[in-house]
Structures are given as structure tokens and as C-alpha cells.
Amino acid sequence: MVHQLSRWPAIFGLAACVLVATSTQAHAQAIEQSVKAAFLTKFPRYVEWPASARTGTRPIDLCVVGSDPFGRLLNQAARSDPNPIIIHHLVRAEQARSCAIAFLGGTRQQSVGQMVAVLQGAPVLTVTDARHGSSQGMIHFAIHQGKVGFHINDALAARNRLSISSRLLQLALSVRQRGG
């Protein structure tokens, strides 16, 4: 009996280590999602849509299609942005053709790659995340050296009649050039 009681401090110590590691990982992931949410609300400043797709005074329709990793973080980021942004939560990419920005999270019924394919040709800035697979939209979030960054496929943006500012292109981890 004494021998069994001596194991409890070790078990509690191990459980405490697991809780701290889990808490630290959860905190880091919350910060990562908060940074991505802030980026999503800032991207419209650096993108031009064709006149047929947007008018200058209309709020930005930012759509989360499928899995939503942001929760309330995206609404908080949108509220802190001086430009009006309306957040929509959609199930399928077909519903996102009138959105200005579509974050594609994928579902069991429609993968991120299928969502990207559905929106090809539509003037919608597609954003994907390396956490959801290798399929990439015009902007693809990735972790580089412990920080949130993004890759830009400017060629895909050009095919969808979008123009991405050179200022945003300079911040990207990599850029697939238009015409290349």
C-alpha cells in the first residue's frame, strides 16, 4: 500500500506537465488563429476587384466556407477594422461566388481543393490554410520560422480578375507571378 501511494506525486506531476503543455499549445494556436483572422480583415485593403464585382462603398463580404477555425476571433478582428466587413458562414463553395473573400476550410462533403476549383473564374479572393491540407487558394497561410505567413498565387488572382497590391506581394513568403 505504501508503494502505491508513493506513485501519486509522480502521476500528479506528469498530469500537471501534460496540462501545461496542452495549455501552452492551445494558447499558441489561439494566437495563431487571431493573427490569421487579423490578416483576413486586412487583405481587402490590398486587393482590387473588377468593377462588376464590387462597388466602392459596399461592405466587404468575408465568407468562411466549411470548417471555421476562428470562432469569435474573426468577428473581433472585423469589428476593430475601420472598413465595414460582414462575416458569412457557408457550407459549400457554390454559395461563396458573391463573396469578396472566401476562407476555404473544407468539409467532409467538399474538400478545400474542390472548393478552390468551384470558385475558379469568380472574382473571389480565395484564402486557404496549410493546416487544412496542401490545396492552395490565391493566399495560403503557413507557419514559417514559428510565425504566421502566407504564400500568394498572383497568377490565380489574375485569372479571376483580381489585382493584388505590390505592397502585399512584398510581405508574402513566396509569390507565384502572373504570366509565369
Side-chain angles (χ1 to χ4, degrees), residues 47-131:
V47 176
E48 287 184 32
W49 284 264
S52 61
R54 294 206 26 82
T55 60
T57 58
R58 201 171 94 197
I60 296 289
D61 290 308
L62 196 164
C63 301
V64 177
V65 186
S67 175
D68 178 3
F70 306 109
R72 62 182 170 75
L73 297 172
L74 192 55
N75 286 324
Q76 289 173 345
R79 278 195 301 269
S80 68
D81 197 279
N83 300 312
I85 297 173
I86 300 173
I87 310 287
H88 304 273
H89 292 89
L90 307 174
V91 176
R92 298 194 57 85
E94 291 83 353
Q95 301 168 303
R97 294 187 75 80
S98 62
C99 300
I101 301 173
F103 176 84
L104 306 176
T107 65
R108 287 182 183 196
Q109 293 77 30
Q110 193 173 38
S111 70
V112 172
Q114 291 169 325
M115 290 179 170
V116 170
V118 164
L119 293 173
Q120 283 189 3
V124 178
L125 181 73
T126 55
V127 182
T128 54
D129 190 332
R131 285 188 173 271

Side-chain angles (χ1 to χ4, degrees), residues 36-53:
K36 291 174 183 174
F39 273 132
L40 278 173
T41 61
K42 304 290 184 250
F43 287 150
R45 297 177 188 176
Y46 304 99
V47 176
E48 287 184 32
W49 284 264
S52 61

Side-chain angles (χ1 to χ4, degrees), residues 32 35-36 39 43 127-130 139-152 171-174:
E32 176 186 328
V35 170
K36 291 174 183 174
F39 273 132
F43 287 150
V127 182
T128 54
D129 190 332
I139 297 179
H140 186 70
F141 286 125
I143 300 299
H144 179 71
Q145 297 180 341
K147 296 179 182 173
V148 175
F150 51 85
H151 302 274
I152 295 179
L171 296 176
L173 297 169
S174 70

